[in-house]
Amino acid sequence: MQPKEFFHKLMSRYLWLNLMAMVLLVVVLALGVHVALNIYTHHGESISVPDVRRQSFESAQRTMENHGFTVEVNDTGYVKTLPAGTVLEQMPAAGTRLKAGRVIYLTINAANSPTLALPDLIDNSSLREAQAKLTAMGFKLAAPRYVPGEKDWVYGIQAGGRSYTTGQRVPVDALVTILVGNGHVADDEDLLETDAPSSSVEEDFDFDEGGGSDDAPEPNTNTSSGEKDDFEVVE
């Protein structure tokens, strides 16, 4: 091909139209992708999160879905005065502006009081140690109950009118009473009977081998049979 012919084809109208069409197509595709992404991600749009606390879970779910959000339960709590299934907390908080389609996490009130395993405190800790550990676990403590035993030593745990042992599960909202020693150790052994001191005096008695040494001597009553007392009769 001669150079003249090459430049002639290069400057032809048909070629330039094809090039312009290709560039235009690329621009349209780029704009289409950008618009589609904005629509898909709701670019520039935000919705205020409604407050659904103290509502039932069903009501809270409908409210969130009407605003374009979805809900998930991520935790449970327990408030004795509220019905089971009531929304206690939400995250993100009410008033936060989010894009539609985001997930709102809810904390729901449980039907029963949660329970915790009783730690190894009985006959293994002092009153102060037991109070600190139980309080840190979230238990509410009543005044200690004193029983005979070593002073300030824990001898038992009671809650709700019953006694618990190590490892048993205790309701968190129950009032816990610690049984603690009052310093007076009770002696459970039987008392031994003690003999009275010997105060009697032994009486010594002398006995003859033949016996009767204490017998009084018999009076001599023997009299001569031939002897008679003469009495003078005085007239």
Side-chain angles (χ1 to χ4, degrees):
M1 178 182 295
Q2 296 294 330
K4 185 176 180 180
E5 294 179 358
F6 174 76
F7 284 108
H8 179 73
K9 290 183 178 181
L10 182 63
M11 299 301 295
S12 67
R13 187 174 184 181
Y14 177 77
L15 178 62
W16 284 105
L17 289 176
N18 288 336
L19 291 176
M20 292 178 61
M22 292 174 62
V23 172
L24 182 61
L25 179 61
V26 171
V27 172
V28 171
L29 289 175
L31 291 175
V33 171
H34 179 72
V35 172
L37 287 175
N38 288 339
I39 295 174
Y40 179 77
T41 60
H42 301 281
H43 179 71
E45 297 180 10
S46 62
I47 305 171
S48 178
V49 177
D51 188 357
V52 295
R53 291 174 299 175
R54 301 301 185 268
Q55 296 183 20
S56 66
F57 174 75
E58 293 77 11
S59 176
Q61 187 175 29
R62 287 194 300 269
T63 301
M64 288 297 182
E65 289 177 350
N66 291 337
H67 284 74
F69 301 114
T70 58
V71 297
E72 289 185 10
V73 177
N74 69 329
D75 199 2
T76 59
Y78 183 73
V79 178
K80 190 174 183 179
T81 57
L82 294 177
T86 301
V87 178
L88 301 178
E89 295 294 338
Q90 63 181 74
M91 187 179 65
T96 305
R97 301 194 68 85
L98 300 174
K99 295 178 182 179
R102 296 289 297 272
V103 178
I104 308 299
Y105 298 96
L106 304 179
T107 300
I108 303 300
N109 195 35
N112 298 314
S113 173
T115 59
L116 295 175
L118 185 66
D120 188 10
L121 301 175
I122 300 174
D123 205 21
N124 193 37
S125 65
S126 66
L127 173 62
R128 181 173 295 181
E129 293 171 345
Q131 287 175 328
K133 185 169 290 187
L134 292 174
T135 302
M137 293 177 66
F139 289 107
K140 297 179 181 179
L141 303 181
R145 178 183 170 189
Y146 289 91
V147 297
E150 184 179 345
K151 185 174 178 61
D152 291 339
W153 192 247
V154 175
Y155 288 97
I157 301 292
Q158 292 183 343
R162 58 167 292 191
S163 298
Y164 288 85
T165 58
T166 300
Q168 286 187 315
R169 302 193 70 86
V170 183
V172 176
D173 62 340
L175 196 61
V176 176
T177 301
I178 303 175
L179 305 185
V180 61
N182 58 9
H184 301 289
V185 180
D187 188 3
D188 294 334
E189 299 180 355
D190 295 333
L191 297 177
L192 299 178
E193 295 182 359
T194 57
D195 295 335
S198 177
S199 59
S200 61
V201 178
E202 293 183 355
E203 297 179 355
D204 295 333
F205 297 94
D206 293 334
F207 296 96
D208 292 338
E209 292 181 0
S213 63
D214 291 337
D215 294 340
E218 295 181 358
N220 187 7
T221 58
N222 294 329
T223 57
S224 175
S225 59
E227 295 180 356
K228 293 182 179 180
D229 294 336
D230 293 335
F231 295 93
E232 184 181 357
V233 178
V234 181
E235 295 180 356

